[in-house]
Amino acid sequence: MYVYGPVPSRRLGSSLGVSPIPAKTCTYTCVYCQLGRTTDLTSVRQSFYKKEDILDEILARGRDSQFDYVTFVGDGEPTLCKNLGWLIEKTRKNLRARTAVITNGSLLFLEDVRADLKHADVVMPTLDAGNERTFRTVNRPHRNITFDVMLHGLVDFRHDYLGQIWLEVMLIKGVNDTEEELRSIAKAVDMVAPDRVYVVTPIRPPAESWVNPPAPDNIIMAQELIGKAMPIVDPESGKFDLEEHGDARQAILEIGSRHPLRLDQIAEIESAYCVSGIVGQMLRDGELIRTDYRGETYLLPGHFLRGQSNHAKERRLAK
Ligand code: SF4
């Protein structure tokens, strides 16, 4: 299944998600990633699946659903999909829908990636660092991607692209939230000249257990130093579309593999299917694991344990 949702999005309203790549396939393995550690770290673009199959599913789901954007996002980096430009063009033409791409921006140095994204209405790249050292600490990129290559790709894209660029900066306590780091991020952001900048903080369980959100004062400092920055620190609200899932178990596993679910969200899914006790059984069977982050309890699909360090596995299993 390539298409999911519509799901509530903090920036896009209601978003019909499209994942054209295999799970955890990315050019980065960010310390804050809510999917856990990347298992296929690559910088090579590929046709992972038949493009016609992906398009058929987008059109079928798109014609049956109400949403604000069709969002190409992936359980990893969507620009690794060689057919992304074709999929965006066909989606726009056939559904007359607005399209967005959530990308880490690492491959924008490639001309074919910039050409693929030029038909999207909104492109939402990440920029979490203003120098090589912090880039390596936070994003842990594939060895072919340096900070300068990534940043110049973003700058080149800005020159060519007529749509909206909404840049996202993820702040992590003690890593990129000091005045010095924020000033270097601000300098890089100015070079890209995005239409909007969102400052976000980790709200769901991260790949590395030491990742924490900055103190409120540092978020305010980021807002002051980074031009146009708007903070988003609250979780999204809104309901998940459950029509595509056969039963509560399938819904919990499929939505949860892309969007770690809080206890209250899982209870809503159980109640929508008029069932109870499913979650307890899934926990006992190891299909779900419980983890706490920032005072909230999340239930993650058991396969999230793959790619975790032994320490993280033990920490999660112990809960
Ligand atoms: S946060 Fe995004 S860019 Fe970073 S590893 Fe996860 S999927 Fe890749």
Side-chain angles (χ1 to χ4, degrees), residues 26 28-30 32-33 35 38 76 104:
C26 196
Y28 293 172
T29 178
C30 301
Y32 57 77
C33 186
L35 303 171
T38 297
N104 62 26

Side-chain angles (χ1 to χ4, degrees), residues 74-190:
D75 305 328
E77 174 47 37
T79 60
L80 283 168
C81 169
K82 246 183 162 172
N83 304 312
L84 187 60
W86 184 87
L87 288 167
I88 294 170
E89 266 194 274
K90 296 283 177 195
T91 300
R92 278 178 61 110
K93 194 167 155 213
N94 288 287
L95 287 182
R96 299 190 182 283
R98 284 185 292 180
T99 53
V101 180
I102 299 180
T103 169
N104 62 26
S106 60
L107 296 181
L108 286 169
F109 72 92
L110 298 171
E111 207 175 324
D112 54 335
V113 172
R114 295 198 298 274
D116 276 1
L117 297 196
K118 76 173 186 234
H119 297 295
D121 297 282
V122 180
V123 174
M124 301 164 72
T126 309
L127 183 60
D128 304 323
N131 58 68
E132 183 75 36
R133 182 178 43 82
T134 308
F135 178 53
R136 302 223 151 259
T137 303
V138 176
N139 303 114
R140 303 187 296 194
H142 185 273
R143 63 181 179 282
N144 291 349
I145 301 164
T146 64
F147 174 73
D148 282 343
V149 163
M150 178 277 296
L151 182 60
H152 285 103
L154 280 168
V155 172
D156 287 348
F157 181 61
R158 171 75 290 178
H159 285 150
D160 304 342
Y161 178 61
L162 300 174
Q164 290 275 305
I165 297 182
W166 298 353
L167 206 61
E168 183 171 292
V169 180
M170 174 69 85
L171 292 184
I172 297 164
K173 185 176 184 174
V175 179
N176 62 352
D177 67 340
T178 61
E179 183 174 341
E180 189 188 351
E181 290 293 335
L182 290 172
R183 285 193 187 283
S184 72
I185 293 172
K187 205 167 143 198
V189 169
D190 285 347

Side-chain angles (χ1 to χ4, degrees), residues 2 64 133 149 157 160 164 227 236 240 263 278 287 313:
Y2 310 106
D64 285 350
R133 182 178 43 82
V149 163
F157 181 61
D160 304 342
Q164 290 275 305
E236 72 294 317
F240 296 99
L263 276 184
I278 298 264
E287 284 186 301
K313 284 177 188 173

